[in-house]
Amino acid sequence: MTAILTEPFLKKLKTLSFITKKYMISRREGRKISRRTGGSIEFADYRKYSSGDEFRYVDWNIYGRSEKLFVKEFCREEELLVYFIIDQSLSMSVGEPPKFFYAQQLAAALSFIGLTTDSRVKIAYFHDTQLNISPDFFGGRSIYKVLETLEKSAPVGATRIADTLSRFLRTARQKGLVVIISDLLDEVDSHKQIAELAARGFDAAIIHTLAPEELNPAVSGQVRLYDIETNQMKQIYITEKELDMYRKEMETLCEKWRQFCLRHHTRYYQAVTNESVEAFTIRFLRQGGLVRQH
């Protein structure tokens, strides 16, 4: 796992920070800026005085010129909590490198960004109806504990995103940025639960992690198809026409997820495991609005 965090990559990661669409409030001050009134760090704007506003925030210079009362608004830097929810199901063991290992590498790189910009990080794994969430990690040195947590898990069980997110929504005590890393290969529709993340005030992002052969399989003729999560096997004959239909179905599936996320204020990214984690993190996420240079 540590091989992914090479010194040149770490230097690039240190120039990045998360972009959040919502304002997060926490008990400790950090680097994330949220709009609050008064007593803060940085001036933001003026607004008209309302009954109950504190007179110490009235701009008397404006009053002297216009005889109208305006109060100053400020920005306060707030700490961000980032949840990484990683699909641990057996379908994530497919690919070379396996999708699960790729997901772990992504979580490690993105955790480093959070930890070095005063954010707190939680690592969560899910399969079947299980959701295991780590304690909070905070500070750059905690990356070693994050790596240790990531390395302890291996693929097991089936994908149950809807159950996982329902449990998460019941137990999460603080709003934050939720990054779901999954192949989304779930027979049960999980759209409702993902939409609820944004509705409940979480800033959500999905990294749809796929192997190249899932998008464009190189098979033909008589083959056996094996469902790694259900242990079911099927023998079929595949023609080029059927392969073409499959590719179109996968394109449609990914586009449906993209459009759904767009409608429900959730950022969608497709990660294919033949692209390096470094290239994906630096190029695609920065262009897609999850991280930025600071």
Side-chain angles (χ1 to χ4, degrees):
M1 182 67 65
T2 53
I4 185 59
L5 298 178
T6 61
E7 190 61 33
F9 189 24
L10 288 176
K11 286 182 178 179
K12 293 177 183 177
L13 292 176
K14 286 178 180 178
T15 69
L16 302 176
S17 60
F18 287 110
I19 300 171
T20 56
K21 294 180 180 178
K22 300 181 179 10
Y23 298 122
M24 309 302 171
I25 298 173
S26 69
R27 289 164 292 185
R28 295 197 298 260
E29 288 189 352
R31 294 186 185 175
K32 299 294 168 283
I33 295 179
S34 67
R35 197 177 189 81
R36 302 273 298 274
T37 46
S40 242
I41 296 172
E42 184 178 318
F43 170 75
D45 204 353
Y46 292 103
R47 65 171 173 79
K48 290 182 179 180
Y49 174 84
S50 298
S51 178
D53 286 338
E54 295 187 47
F55 277 103
R56 60 178 170 155
Y57 300 125
V58 171
D59 191 309
W60 298 107
N61 290 325
I62 292 180
Y63 178 76
R65 295 193 303 269
S66 65
E67 295 186 354
K68 294 180 180 179
L69 290 176
F70 285 85
V71 293
K72 294 178 181 178
E73 288 190 314
F74 298 85
C75 287
R76 176 177 297 176
E77 292 186 339
E78 299 288 350
E79 179 187 83
L80 175 67
L81 174 58
V82 187
Y83 300 88
F84 293 100
I85 302 180
I86 304 168
D87 186 350
Q88 191 186 0
S89 64
L90 282 168
S91 66
M92 292 290 285
S93 64
V94 172
E96 187 55 47
K99 291 181 289 184
F100 184 68
F101 182 64
Y102 194 88
Q104 289 176 306
Q105 290 181 312
L106 276 175
L110 295 175
S111 292
F112 183 80
I113 294 173
L115 294 173
T116 53
T117 53
D118 293 342
S119 297
R120 286 182 297 133
V121 167
K122 282 181 177 287
I123 302 294
Y125 283 113
F126 73 90
H127 67 88
D128 298 310
T129 59
Q130 301 296 312
L131 175 65
N132 300 306
I133 305 179
S134 74
D136 291 9
F137 299 110
F138 182 79
R141 291 178 180 240
S142 294
I143 188 61
Y144 299 105
K145 293 181 180 178
V146 169
L147 293 174
E148 184 180 340
T149 300
L150 289 169
E151 289 170 345
K152 283 181 179 178
S153 296
V156 62
T159 310
R160 296 288 185 270
I161 300 173
D163 291 340
T164 295
L165 293 182
S166 293
R167 185 173 178 184
F168 175 80
L169 287 164
R170 288 195 304 269
T171 57
R173 296 183 178 180
Q174 185 180 332
K175 302 295 190 297
L177 172 61
V178 177
V179 181
I180 301 167
I181 308 176
S182 172
D183 57 17
L184 304 177
L185 297 179
D186 191 349
E187 294 181 0
V188 178
D189 190 346
S190 56
H191 286 70
K192 176 183 175 182
Q193 288 76 15
I194 291 173
E196 196 169 346
L197 282 172
R200 293 274 194 95
F202 290 91
D203 193 1
I206 292 176
I207 301 178
H208 192 180
T209 308
L210 296 167
E213 56 266 35
E214 290 175 318
L215 293 170
N216 188 23
V219 294
S220 61
Q222 196 76 27
V223 297
R224 288 185 189 178
L225 298 180
Y226 175 69
D227 189 322
I228 198 169
E229 292 189 0
T230 65
N231 291 323
Q232 293 182 347
M233 187 175 293
K234 195 174 194 179
Q235 188 165 318
I236 62 172
Y237 190 86
I238 297 178
T239 65
E240 187 58 41
K241 180 180 178 181
E242 288 165 328
L243 274 178
D244 189 53
M245 289 173 59
Y246 170 85
R247 295 186 193 104
K248 289 178 180 177
E249 283 290 327
M250 283 298 294
E251 287 177 8
T252 300
L253 174 67
C254 294
E255 185 58 28
K256 282 182 178 178
W257 272 109
R258 187 177 288 107
Q259 292 301 321
F260 167 82
C261 290
L262 184 64
R263 291 195 304 273
H264 293 279
H265 310 290
T266 298
R267 284 168 284 193
Y268 173 89
Y269 309 91
Q270 187 183 99
V272 184
T273 57
N274 60 352
E275 178 178 31
S276 74
V277 169
E278 179 174 346
F280 178 80
T281 304
I282 300 299
R283 177 183 61 80
F284 195 79
L285 290 184
R286 188 170 65 193
Q287 291 175 356
L290 184 58
V291 296
R292 65 182 170 196
Q293 286 187 303
H294 56 77

